Amino acid sequence: MKIQWEYERKFLVNPAALPALPRGVRIEQAYLGFEPVVRVRLEGERGVLTVKGPGLRARREVNLSIPAEAARALIELRVEGTTVIRKTRHLVLHGGHVWEVDVFAEPFRGLVTAEVELRTPDETPELPPWVGQEVTDHPRFQNAALARTGRIPPPPPEPKE
């Protein structure tokens, strides 16, 4: 079991600007609840049950390793009407941080995001040239929101200078 504070930022990615990605791990995840967020995930053949507290940039998170068979069964018990998220996660080192680049499968094909976990909430990572607009503060880009809607949200308005 792992209990921690999670500090992260999330960005849309310009796939055409990405370098060749290292081999990734296939992820399948579904949601068992939304307040708090309760997620079950298969990462390759590893099962993980996660409970996340409220927040976008910083929140409490509890991760429990579970058998893959249990994760598969729990995915089937997801909240009715929600979509199973399928994606491939690639870990890319840039500027001293590991960036999690997620390439989504149907029905989210075309969506590519990158998240970076920070050591402190006020840390400012060096941004790779392939990241685009930041969506950290736009809840509709959280995976839980994608699972609820079953579609890619429109991009947020560009920030005013």
Side-chain angles (χ1 to χ4, degrees):
M1 176 170 58
K2 186 176 180 184
I3 303 170
Q4 66 185 27
W5 274 94
E6 174 185 62
Y7 309 111
E8 67 183 9
R9 290 176 61 191
K10 186 172 192 169
F11 297 83
L12 297 178
V13 169
N14 176 0
L18 273 172
L21 293 172
R23 174 176 237 122
V25 63
R26 294 181 53 91
I27 294 175
E28 185 173 334
Q29 68 188 42
Y31 292 83
L32 306 176
F34 295 104
E35 290 183 33
V37 172
V38 180
R39 175 188 75 203
V40 63
R41 178 184 273 180
L42 261 176
E43 298 174 351
E45 284 300 312
R46 180 177 157 247
V48 181
L49 182 65
T50 302
V51 179
K52 293 184 176 211
L56 296 173
R57 288 181 180 257
R59 60 184 170 174
R60 199 88 162 125
E61 180 177 276
V62 178
N63 290 296
L64 300 165
S65 292
I66 61 173
E69 313 80 61
R72 285 188 194 91
L74 288 171
I75 287 170
E76 295 303 316
L77 295 174
R78 70 188 177 276
V79 172
E80 186 175 342
T82 59
T83 302
V84 175
I85 304 242
R86 292 180 177 86
K87 60 189 179 181
T88 301
R89 173 163 290 168
H90 306 270
L91 302 180
V92 179
L93 184 62
H94 180 85
H97 285 87
V98 175
W99 289 75
E100 297 172 343
V101 177
D102 289 340
V103 179
F104 288 78
E106 290 299 335
F108 309 105
R109 186 173 307 282
L111 178 62
V112 181
T113 62
E115 293 182 7
V116 59
E117 290 204 15
L118 308 172
R119 294 169 203 83
T120 65
D122 58 347
E123 181 180 8
T124 303
E126 177 187 321
L127 301 182
W130 36 266
V131 300
Q133 189 171 6
E134 184 167 7
V135 293
T136 304
D137 297 321
H138 298 277
R140 67 180 181 256
F141 283 93
Q142 289 184 310
N143 286 310
L146 296 176
R148 283 176 144 166
T149 65
R151 59 185 163 69
I152 300 171
E158 290 290 333
K160 294 179 182 168
E161 305 251 341

